[in-house]
Amino acid sequence: MGVGAKNPNMLEVIIKSDGGWSADIKDSEFSSHSVNGFGDRTIQITCHSDGKYSLTVQRSDGRSGTLNVEVVKNGSGSSQRSTTNSANGIISLSGTC
């Protein structure tokens, strides 16, 4: 794959937060991933054609503030996103690859 090329079998989960968060992600191969973080982070997951993915991201620091989650399909550039501003806010997203 050339420089700057996008893999159509991958998704990018883009998390933007001003605090701590935890994420549970299931990819199209039915593998589960738990990730804890603080601030902004991009996570790539496998997402084969016609497969499904799901994820839940929750603020983990008990403070109110912005939590943004966006899922970008590398092959098509399409995306899905959600935002919460509540303490311990939860975002759940799922879809087809």
Side-chain angles (χ1 to χ4, degrees):
M1 211 174 279
V3 174
K6 296 287 188 176
N7 183 343
N9 294 323
M10 298 296 287
L11 289 180
E12 286 187 336
V13 178
I14 303 167
I15 301 169
K16 294 185 178 181
S17 176
D18 57 1
W21 49 266
S22 62
D24 291 313
I25 302 167
K26 184 180 280 188
D27 65 23
S28 67
E29 296 177 331
F30 305 105
S31 296
S32 293
H33 312 275
S34 294
V35 182
N36 295 310
F38 186 95
D40 300 345
R41 185 153 177 196
T42 299
I43 302 164
Q44 291 194 336
I45 63 169
T46 303
C47 203
H48 296 291
S49 214
D50 295 325
K52 297 187 183 301
Y53 67 90
S54 63
L55 60 98
T56 301
V57 183
Q58 179 174 11
R59 285 198 59 113
S60 62
D61 57 11
R63 300 180 338 188
S64 61
T66 302
L67 173 64
N68 294 305
V69 179
E70 181 176 11
V71 177
V72 178
K73 296 181 183 181
N74 286 339
S76 67
S78 64
S79 67
Q80 180 181 22
R81 72 182 77 194
S82 186
T83 301
T84 182
N85 291 308
S86 65
N88 299 314
I90 298 174
I91 293 174
S92 295
L93 298 173
S94 63
T96 303
C97 301

